[in-house]
Amino acid sequence: MRTALNSPFTPGSDSVPEVWAGRTAQLSDWRDVLRPRRQAGLAERGRTILGEAGLGKSTLVRRIARDAAAAGDWVTPQLRIPAGADPLKMIAAALLKLADQAGLAASREQRIKDTLGRVQAVAVSGLSLTLRQHDGPELYTVLTQLLVEIGRAAIARGNVVVLIHVDEVQNITDEKALSQLLIALGDALVHEEPIAAPGGVTVLRSLPIAVYLTGLPDFADTAGSRIGATFARRFKTTTLSAIDDEDLASAVQPFVIEGWPVADDLGGISRIRMDPDAAAAITEICRGEPFLFQLAGEQAWYAGTGDVISRAEAIKGWRAVRAEAVIHVERILERLPKRESDFLRAMADLPAKERTLTRIATDMGLAKATDAGPTSQRLDSVRGIIERGKPYTFRHRAVEAYLTSDWPDVE
């Protein structure tokens, strides 16, 4: 029996969905590059994961954090920054919890006691804590000092990586707060700790600290303009795009082959299967959007109660949330500057083979193609909505479908 209580699809939830699709490159980066290098004391940049709403940035890092915690790593909760909030207070509070986990609160070393006291003051006052109110170093230095102490404790514990996840970073609009936060995290990432190697030799190693920042694409411009090249040197930025249909098909294939296990009314396990045509419909409908994929799967699950999800149920479920799919894409378009929105609409109005910068600029009413160049560059490298080529193509397939077809209507 299919019910709301046993659906494995979770659209828009902060929990990691049971039905996972794609993002293998980013998961592999954590598992095969970032974690092992940090664990071994090798330098490695932090990660900035950006993208438009609905592409699963936060969910991706929550999945990484869950896997890290299962491996015994020390992990902060998802530190979502609300608009207008003081990020330094949130980071300070999270670091104090990590310090407790690392056993620093029980330390008798005066250096550590002093550091904890200063960070506790930051957790209470944040940016309002100025040098006139508090004798000591700048706020970012205080946070870095505690991160270093936590990193040292992780080294002593062995095989432990400290993972910090700061979400909705585009909401940090205070220039001083953003600068202090990024420098504090960046200084901890590049800190080198002297350790004794075999043979009595002293060597330097990086701390086992990994940092993930997630947010909307605008953050790359904001961070770059405020701390410049330092940000690029200390953080590697990835802009997410739509998930390939092959990855989506792989995610629903277990439903088609062996069925999804659910508890039955007799205390046993039954399986919910999916007709291959239903799986194909869900894969096609969502246009590579993780949020829409979870939404389509959930509504197909709710559209009936039997042990086989049919194509008709997949279509019925999608029609029930058509308006939500429209709003999802319209929000993406509405937050774009007018010039970028005009570019996308002009591009969408052209036949696929004629989508060149010259034709798009002409249809926008611009005198020459180079006038549209900066706009196309932002839509490609910053927002990840298009891909410049010969011809130009859409990377954000839900935006393309909305502008060029009857989607999200389906037959």
Side-chain angles (χ1 to χ4, degrees), residues 89 153 251 264 372:
K89 294 174 67 173
D264 61 25

Side-chain angles (χ1 to χ4, degrees), residues 24 101 122 346:
T24 54
Q101 187 175 357
V122 177

Side-chain angles (χ1 to χ4, degrees), residues 9 32 56 73-74 81 83 115 140 174 180 185 218 221-222 238 241 244-245 269 272 278 285 290 306 338 362 386 390:
F9 296 95
D32 301 329
D73 294 335
W74 299 339
I81 308 297
T115 299
Y140 75 88
D174 185 286
Q180 297 239 359
L185 296 174
D218 312 78
D221 285 347
T222 304
T238 297
S241 57
D244 292 339
D245 281 348
I269 298 295
I272 305 300
I285 285 169
K338 184 177 184 303
T362 299
I386 69 169
K390 296 182 180 180

Side-chain angles (χ1 to χ4, degrees), residues 347-356 390-394 400:
M347 178 175 164
D349 287 341
L350 290 168
K353 294 183 179 180
E354 298 179 20
R355 290 172 180 165
T356 65
K390 296 182 180 180
Y392 280 28
T393 55
F394 281 92
E400 177 185 25

Side-chain angles (χ1 to χ4, degrees), residues 12-27:
S13 173
D14 280 341
S15 61
V16 178
E18 294 182 65
V19 185
W20 183 268
R23 306 305 183 211
T24 54
Q26 290 76 34
L27 294 174

